[in-house]
């Protein structure tokens, strides 16, 4: 149980275009999902917390107009990178929260974004 | 604020040897502690977690970890490593009332024959 999927696993897009990444909790409902960014050989950096039916909460330094997050259902959150640039190339990982106090996060397999 | 330190950036272990990966945390109250493993190009898989109770926690793939409050540590151990254990290992801390996790910088494990 507690499986999280991401789609696509890899995406290449041209500079200036937008790309959408989906995160789904397959066998549980997740009112809260998280989006992380991971640079090569580094740890995960939390970008935003996504709550179903409400606006996402962004971490300091993350541009909310560039990284649009939508959490329209209890099993789906999407991250849209708008007007992508090469510096946005990274590994994006989502997680879904299972349970409350204590919290457990289950992670998706990640999406490799390359902007050319 | 909570924080996690993984002092070892890279560890090399012979196949069949024992393993210990170190994790130290900083948090004022009782933390929730996690170990995750990440294979190259993959997401994170939960190995084990500690919330309360028995301080020795058993996880998947033969891993265990021990919570030591006096040392603010949550070290990960395995008695005999396999080549398939080569990966990046992350320690993370959470807390009651705080849904966010704080991750350490990770330890890369290399297994040699």
């Amino acid at each position: 149980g507690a499986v999280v999927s991401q789609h696509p696993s890899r995406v290449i897009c041209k500079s200036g275009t937008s790309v959408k990444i989906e995160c789904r909790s397959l066998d549980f409902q997740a009112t809260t999902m998280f989006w992380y960014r991971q640079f090569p050989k580094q740890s995960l950096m939390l970008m935003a917390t996504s709550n179903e039916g409400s606006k996402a909460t962004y971490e300091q330094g993350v541009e909310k107009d560039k990284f649009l997050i939508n959490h329209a259902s209890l099993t789906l959150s999407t991250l849209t990178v708008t007007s992508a640039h090469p510096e946005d190339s990274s590994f994006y990982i989502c997680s879904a929260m299972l349970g409350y106090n204590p919290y457990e996060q289950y992670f998706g397999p990640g999406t490799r974004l390359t902007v050319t | 604020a909570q924080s996690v330190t993984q002092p070892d950036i890279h560890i090399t272990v012979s196949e069949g040897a024992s393993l210990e990966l170190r994790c130290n945390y900083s948090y004022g109250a009782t933390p929730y502690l996690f170990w995750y493993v990440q294979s190259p190009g993959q997401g994170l898989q939960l190995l084990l977690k500690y919330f309360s109770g028995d301080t020795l926690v058993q996880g998947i793939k033969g891993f265990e970890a021990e919570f030591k409050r006096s040392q603010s540590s949550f070290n990960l151990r395995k008695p005999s490593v396999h080549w398939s254990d080569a990966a990046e290992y992350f320690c993370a801390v959470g807390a009651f009332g705080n849904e966010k996790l704080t991750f350490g910088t990770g330890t890369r494990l290399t297994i040699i024959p």
Side-chain angles (χ1 to χ4, degrees), chain B residues 41 63 65 88 99:
Chain B
F63 286 94
E88 189 87 19
E99 59 194 8

Side-chain angles (χ1 to χ4, degrees), chain A residues 32 34 36 38 42-44 46 49 59 91 93 97 101-110, chain B residues 32 34 36 38 41-44 46 49 51 90 95-101 103-105 108:
Chain A
T32 301
F34 301 88
Y36 295 84
Q38 186 180 31
Q42 295 189 27
S43 190
L44 281 73
L46 179 65
T49 303
E59 295 299 301
F91 194 54
I93 304 176
M97 195 169 76
N101 283 329
Y103 307 103
E104 295 185 51
Q105 291 186 31
Y106 288 84
F107 287 79
Chain B
Y32 301 149
F34 306 82
Y36 288 89
Q38 184 182 33
Q42 301 296 316
L44 276 67
L46 180 66
K49 57 185 183 282
F51 294 145
F90 292 96
F96 182 87
N98 183 356
E99 59 194 8
K100 299 179 185 179
L101 291 180
F103 285 85
T105 51
R108 183 161 60 96

